[in-house]
């Protein structure tokens, strides 16, 4: 429920539009309701007008700028208007946050029907006495109000109590687990039915096809229960960044991409604090002052970009800025002052990783913005506790990018199963580009150990899964001739496999919780025949080929 409005609340008319996509206005209102400290909102005169405008009445104690910032994050400022609203357009009696003065002391004339349940006897008798004079019985005094158990739905839509249902997270997790087991069982039935004659078992085949379709719809619906869009997290930053930039005397613009990318609710709650620290770091350490930026030939307004996306079986959140970037020499010098071993032969990635050392800071003096007693080591620790990784990329003078990669602990995804020897591996279908048959003479050796293959005038590194996982082979004369091109993290590799087994839905099980972390493997699944197959981490294999 919405929090009561603070003292000094005022009534406003909010106009959003004109909008061709009217569902966008509904999403904006839902966003407003989630941030309860801004006040309450409900449709005005049905909420929809013929010219595509949406009108709402808002009870709030927030400033106009705060309200406009919330909405103009999604639509232009010209599409949002705030107007004073007459006191006659108050909220319904008993609505959350309604001012006391809007409640009426006397009934406006719409009383209870004669002999209706709950009508006081005196009121009923008076209504009967007045019956010859009026067609509608009207009570002379307001009866003692019985406990109101439910509010009639408004014209603009269902009340929150009717449109939402509170369910514990444990019940949802149990439901997701059961659906995962159902998908495995459906895969077993599908595999066992392949040897049956479809002519003799036509009804069985039809039923299994319906089961597969319904299972897919069911798992998609169940998986979406715990998912909320990243916009819920991103919308917290504009106001914070505006205040922080003003405090530091900087001009900063926030750009977001992928707000519709959905994350697990529990993951969103735990990733908010690390992201907040990264954004503050970018504003404080990364973005230069307007004078310095102009002197370097940059626009005086810096840009911080938040990007959320799904890559393979992972969720990637990036925090980018176009500021000064990291200084290699300064990081090495600071590390040596802290007693950290930092030879000059370190690669750039190893130098960038120094900022994750406990107590490490490049700030000359700690302020309430810079450091605040919480370093990047705490950020990395929090993300690692979620089973994620943090990567830094920087170019001095041009900016810096921090990538937070979070693996899915439980999901159902589409995968391509490939065979290598007697083993079966799963490739995320979203990472697979193409597959083709290759002749052994088209694979070239580079530098004595590396191997590449030419695919349409482009040379790609070859990854032999047989060697990566030391797959035992008993048919020594067999030569792998199938390659699957996969893409991740901006790079492509060609994987050498024995056969393509097909495409199917697989339940992703967290390998670390049941065994331990395995390099180049993101998870495991149970196949239709009961065997365990490993789900490959395509991003890790691409990084492996680069090294």
């Amino acid at each position: 429920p919405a929090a009561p409005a603070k003292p000094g609340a005022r009534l406003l008319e909010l106009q959003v539009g004109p909008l061709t996509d009217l569902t966008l206005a509904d999403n904006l209102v839902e966003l407003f309701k989630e941030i309860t400290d801004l006040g309450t909102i409900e449709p005005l005169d049905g909420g929809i007008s013929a010219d595509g405008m949406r009108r709402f009445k808002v009870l709030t104690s927030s400033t106009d700028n705060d309200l406009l910032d919330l909405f103009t994050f999604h639509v232009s400022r010209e599409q949002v208007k705030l107007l004073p609203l007459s006191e006659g357009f108050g909220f319904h009696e008993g609505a959350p946050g309604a001012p006391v003065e809007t409640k009426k002391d006397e009934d406006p004339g719409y009383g209870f029907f004669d002999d209706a349940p709950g009508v006081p006897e005196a009121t009923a008798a008076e209504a009967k006495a007045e019956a010859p004079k009026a067609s509608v019985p009207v009570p002379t005094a307001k009866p003692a109000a019985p406990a109101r158990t439910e509010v009639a739905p408004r014209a603009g839509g269902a009340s929150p109590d009717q449109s939402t249902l509170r369910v514990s997270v444990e019940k949802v997790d149990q439901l997701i687990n059961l659906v995962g087991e159902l998908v495995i069982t459906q895969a077993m039935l599908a595999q066992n039915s392949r040897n049956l004659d479809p002519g003799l078992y036509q009804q069985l085949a039809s039923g299994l096809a319906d089961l597969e379709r319904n299972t897919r719809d069911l798992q998609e619906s169940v998986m979406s229960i715990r998912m909320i869009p990243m916009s819920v997290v991103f919308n917290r930053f504009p106001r914070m960044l505006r205040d922080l930039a003003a405090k530091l005397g900087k001009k900063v613009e926030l750009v977001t991409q992928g707000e519709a990318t959905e994350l697990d609710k529990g993951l969103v709650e735990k990733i908010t604090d690390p992201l907040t620290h990264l954004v503050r770091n970018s504003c404080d350490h990364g973005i230069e002052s307007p004078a310095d930026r102009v002197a370097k030939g940059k626009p005086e307004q810096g840009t911080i970009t938040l990007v959320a996306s799904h890559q393979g079986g992972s969720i990637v959140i990036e925090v980018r800025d176009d500021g000064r970037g990291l200084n290699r020499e300064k990081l090495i010098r600071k590390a040596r002052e802290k007693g950290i071993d930092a030879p000059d032969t370190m690669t750039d990635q190893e130098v960038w990783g120094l900022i994750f050392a406990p107590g490490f800071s490049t700030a000359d003096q700690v302020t309430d913005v810079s450091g605040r007693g919480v370093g990047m080591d705490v950020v990395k620790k929090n993300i690692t506790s979620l089973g994620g990784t943090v990567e830094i990329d920087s170019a001095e003078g041009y900016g810096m990018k921090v990538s937070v990669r979070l693996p899915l602990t439980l999901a159902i995804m589409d995968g391509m199963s490939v065979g290598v020897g007697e083993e079966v591996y799963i490739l995320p279908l979203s990472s697979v580009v193409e597959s083709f048959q290759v002749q052994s003479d088209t694979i070239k050796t580079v530098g004595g150990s590396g191997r590449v293959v030419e695919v349409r005038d482009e040379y790609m590194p070859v990854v032999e899964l047989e060697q990566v996982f030391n797959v035992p082979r008993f048919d020594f004369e067999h030569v792998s001739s199938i390659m699957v091109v996969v893409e991740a993290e901006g790079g492509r590799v060609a994987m050498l496999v024995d056969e393509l087994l097909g495409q199917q839905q697989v339940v992703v099980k967290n390998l670390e919780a049941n065994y331990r972390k395995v390099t180049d493997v993101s998870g495991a699944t149970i196949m239709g025949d009961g065997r365990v197959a490993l789900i490959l981490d395509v991003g890790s294999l691409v990084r492996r080929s680069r090294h």
Side-chain angles (χ1 to χ4, degrees):
K6 300 174 183 177
R10 56 211 169 93
L11 279 170
L12 298 174
E13 177 180 344
L14 168 69
Q15 296 183 2
V16 184
L19 298 174
T20 54
D21 181 9
L22 294 182
T23 59
L24 176 60
D26 295 329
N27 294 335
L28 296 179
V29 174
E30 289 304 315
L31 173 65
F32 187 101
K33 289 179 179 178
E34 288 178 7
I35 308 178
T36 55
D37 61 336
L38 291 180
T40 54
I41 186 172
E42 69 178 41
L44 183 63
D45 298 333
I48 308 176
S49 58
D51 56 357
M53 297 285 291
R54 287 290 178 101
R55 299 174 65 231
F56 305 91
K57 47 186 172 184
V58 176
L59 179 68
T60 181
S61 55
S62 300
T63 64
D64 289 1
N65 280 340
D66 286 344
L67 296 178
L68 289 172
D69 283 347
L70 173 72
F71 289 93
T72 56
F73 194 67
H74 298 274
V75 296
S76 64
R77 189 172 285 262
E78 290 75 23
Q79 290 179 287
V80 183
K81 293 181 181 178
L82 286 170
L83 306 172
L85 189 64
S86 168
E87 291 297 329
F89 294 94
F91 279 64
H92 291 295
E93 181 179 343
V100 177
E101 56 269 25
T102 61
K103 297 182 179 180
K104 305 299 182 182
D105 292 331
E106 295 183 0
D107 198 273
Y110 297 96
F112 288 83
F113 288 107
D114 190 10
D115 299 329
V119 179
E121 294 181 4
T123 305
E126 292 171 359
K128 288 180 179 179
E130 292 291 327
K133 302 177 183 179
S135 58
V136 178
V138 179
T140 56
K142 185 175 181 179
R148 295 176 62 182
T149 57
E150 145 176 31
V151 179
R154 299 188 299 268
S159 67
D161 290 341
Q162 294 172 325
S163 60
T164 59
L165 177 67
R166 289 184 179 270
V167 179
S168 67
V169 175
E170 290 77 12
K171 289 185 177 180
V172 176
D173 288 342
Q174 184 181 11
L175 180 61
I176 293 174
N177 252 325
L178 290 173
V179 171
E181 298 301 324
L182 179 63
V183 171
I184 294 172
T185 305
Q186 182 269 324
M188 290 181 177
L189 289 174
Q191 182 159 335
N192 293 332
S193 65
R194 288 174 184 169
N195 298 326
L196 299 178
D197 185 352
L200 296 175
Y201 299 95
Q202 184 176 0
Q203 288 186 334
L204 177 61
S206 175
L208 289 173
D210 290 342
L211 176 63
E212 180 177 4
R213 183 177 64 255
N214 294 335
T215 303
R216 176 182 289 267
D217 293 341
L218 177 63
Q219 63 91 358
E220 288 178 355
S221 299
V222 170
M223 290 300 296
S224 66
I225 292 177
R226 279 181 58 99
M227 307 298 277
I228 59 177
M230 278 300 296
S231 58
V232 174
V233 180
F234 286 175
N235 288 336
R236 303 183 182 189
F237 294 126
R239 188 192 306 183
M240 181 205 77
L241 200 57
R242 185 186 67 218
D243 296 342
L244 185 60
K247 184 174 185 178
L248 297 172
K250 298 179 179 180
K251 296 183 179 180
V252 184
E253 178 188 12
L254 181 67
V255 177
T256 60
Q257 299 173 11
E259 301 98 325
T261 303
E262 292 189 330
L263 280 180
D264 184 275
K265 182 180 185 298
L267 214 55
V268 165
E269 294 170 351
K270 295 177 182 177
I271 200 63
T272 301
D273 286 344
L275 281 183
T276 302
H277 186 93
L278 292 175
V279 171
R280 292 177 71 100
N281 252 13
S282 292
C283 184
D284 185 24
H285 293 298
I287 303 296
E288 310 95 331
S289 64
D292 291 343
R293 291 182 63 86
V294 172
K296 294 178 181 178
K298 296 181 177 181
E300 66 175 6
Q301 185 180 52
T303 303
I304 295 178
T305 307
L306 290 172
V307 183
S309 62
H310 287 289
Q311 293 185 10
S314 303
I315 299 158
V316 179
I317 304 171
E318 296 179 354
V319 181
R320 308 175 190 161
D321 66 70
D322 62 349
R324 58 173 61 93
L326 295 176
N327 184 297
R328 178 186 172 95
E329 289 72 22
K330 184 177 181 180
L331 286 174
I332 292 177
R333 185 176 69 253
K334 286 276 188 179
R336 290 171 179 170
E337 291 175 3
K338 294 282 185 181
I340 301 173
D341 184 27
D344 293 332
T345 55
M346 294 175 69
T347 63
D348 285 346
Q349 289 298 325
E350 291 171 337
V351 173
W352 309 150
L354 290 173
I355 68 175
F356 294 122
F360 190 91
S361 176
T362 58
D364 296 323
Q365 60 181 13
V366 176
T367 66
D368 62 338
V369 175
S370 173
R372 308 186 317 286
V374 180
M376 291 289 283
D377 60 313
V378 178
V379 173
K380 185 173 184 179
K381 180 181 178 182
N382 291 344
I383 294 173
T384 304
S385 67
L386 300 176
T389 59
V390 189
E391 297 176 3
I392 294 180
D393 193 12
S394 176
E396 188 174 356
Y398 293 95
M400 170 179 165
K401 179 179 74 174
V402 182
S403 300
V404 177
R405 181 178 295 272
L406 298 167
L408 297 177
T409 54
L410 174 65
I412 304 175
M413 69 173 193
D414 289 317
M416 174 181 284
S417 51
V418 297
V420 180
E422 297 295 322
E423 298 295 325
V424 176
Y425 298 100
I426 305 294
L427 298 173
L429 198 62
S430 57
S431 300
V432 176
V433 179
E434 62 178 324
S435 59
F436 57 91
Q437 201 152 10
V438 67
Q439 303 297 326
S440 58
D441 56 354
T442 60
I443 301 177
K444 311 295 183 184
T445 303
V446 179
S449 58
R451 305 175 71 193
V452 297
V453 62
E454 184 179 4
V455 182
R456 284 188 287 279
D457 300 328
E458 178 185 359
Y459 283 96
M460 295 181 189
V462 175
V463 175
E464 295 186 62
L465 295 183
E466 179 182 346
Q467 295 183 4
V468 172
F469 296 106
N470 295 320
V471 179
R473 186 179 290 282
F474 304 103
D475 50 342
F476 301 104
E477 298 181 356
H478 180 84
V479 178
S480 300
S481 60
I482 297 177
M483 281 195 170
V484 180
V485 178
V486 292
E487 182 178 29
E489 300 183 16
R492 291 186 178 186
V493 297
M495 293 186 181
L496 198 58
V497 301
D498 291 351
E499 56 181 332
L500 303 178
L501 300 178
Q503 171 190 341
Q504 64 191 95
Q505 281 188 300
V506 295
V507 179
V508 182
K509 296 289 185 181
N510 188 1
L511 201 59
E512 295 179 47
N514 300 290
Y515 178 53
R516 63 177 175 83
K517 184 170 178 58
V518 179
T519 307
D520 302 325
V521 174
S522 62
T525 188
I526 302 174
M527 302 294 291
D529 56 2
R531 292 193 300 166
V532 174
L534 298 179
I535 301 172
L536 301 186
D537 185 346
V538 177
S540 176
L541 291 169
V542 170
R543 292 193 296 272
R544 180 192 188 101
S545 68
R546 288 171 178 166
H547 296 325

